[in-house]
Amino acid sequence: MANNSHSAETAATAAGRAGKIRVGVIGGGQLARMMIPPATHLGLEISVLAEAPGMSAARAADAVGDCRDAATVMQFAETVDVITFDHEHVPQEVLAQLLATGVQVHPQPHSLQYAQDKILMRQKLSEIGVPVPTWATVQNPAELDAFLAQVGGKAVVKTARGGYDGKGVRVVTAAAEAADWFAALEADPVSDALLAEELVPFERELSQLVARRPSGEVALWPVVETVQQDGVCAEVIAPAPAVATTAAKLQEAAAAIGRQIATGLEVTGVMAVEMFETLDGRLLVNELAMRPHNSGHFSIEGSITSQFEQHLRAVTDLPLGSTAMTRPAAVMINVLGGPAEGPMPVRYNRALAAHPAAKFHSYGKDSRPGRKVGHVTVIGDDTAQVLQAARAAAAEMENG
Ligand code: ADP
């Protein structure tokens, strides 16, 4: 149970009295689901506030309710020692009420706001000197046209809030192509502008996963290459193979950015820093996710400490584990709902038989075309071989 009168204490010290630490995760998707095994290993209790019954993390879902409803979240918080998240959708008003009760919240709302609002994030990163694409806020079509003229006629326009998997991101050559979003701003109680950015001609996309605990300790995994298809992360290659610079230089630059953001924004827990590597080898930060992230799923088998275990350690202010890789290469491939029918164990039968070295993860979701229903990871010595094996296993899992 929460002991709200000891707000200054970490969850770990509170547990010294209560005997157990209970982590409460808001959101019942696959990220919460994948926190359950390491919670068990670490001896932590875990509870989930799920949006609906039968979600991915249903086995730990002690509560079902709307995370935007303060009363629901407050009631859930009463039952746990520390609150963390499977997503970034809990409104700041609800988070402020949570903090006022004295419950531990990680990441803290003042950090989380930068993952909730792309304009705030761009402002903050620019302020602390992190390299980002050229950007501007645009409140009306005239401002967007002016920006387009400035960046050569093509720009990326984004809604500040609520986007995911590329929804809320549009490449435009004229302001009229974002007319519906400008119209929607009129009725939006929170956002009064869109984010406009240069269309970065990037070589590839990278993600630097970082964990930070409240006491300040930081741990960084090897920077990974992420491959998107239709705005959705499809493949992750760890570590990112060297292209424009040496692997060591790339890692050094990515880690410096990850550390700077984690420290500068006082992030607690795991954060993914999504970046573009430009054609001339520069890194520009695109997006922040303050929670375990798709680009870190490889770490379950590929690292000594997975992002899910590390997140639990970080939010309970326990010492962080080693982020070294278990093998020289790891590849994670997302499995989307496909044409195959029937229950998962039956559908996966052939894939499991054909690929005994691959690790299959099912999220316990109903299969719908395009929906992330699981992933496959293969680890080994050689990136090209591991990539080929992971692709074959994922295709078989997807197609049944
Ligand atoms: P979401 O939060 O919906 O994932 P992102 O801001 O991460 O949205 O953008 C989704 C994808 O769109 C990126 O992974 C990248 O491929 C592309 N993208 C976003 N911003 C830019 C940009 N400024 N230049 C080029 N491509 C971009």
Side-chain angles (χ1 to χ4, degrees), residues 118 158 164-166 169 197-198 200 202 205 276 286-287:
K118 289 180 174 163
K158 303 182 179 183
Y164 67 97
D165 284 350
V169 174
E197 294 181 346
E198 65 171 313
V200 177
F202 58 80
E205 295 186 68
F276 301 124
N286 176 35
E287 178 65 330

Side-chain angles (χ1 to χ4, degrees), residues 17-70:
R17 286 184 321 280
K20 293 239 159 97
I21 306 175
R22 184 168 288 274
V23 177
V25 186
I26 298 184
Q30 63 262 27
L31 302 179
R33 178 185 176 96
M34 288 186 270
M35 290 180 207
I36 300 171
T40 308
H41 300 154
L42 288 168
L44 296 168
E45 307 296 310
I46 187 163
S47 295
V48 170
L49 172 62
E51 296 82 334
M55 289 196 58
S56 275
R59 69 194 58 210
D62 294 324
V64 172
D66 185 351
C67 71
R68 290 160 301 185
D69 177 60

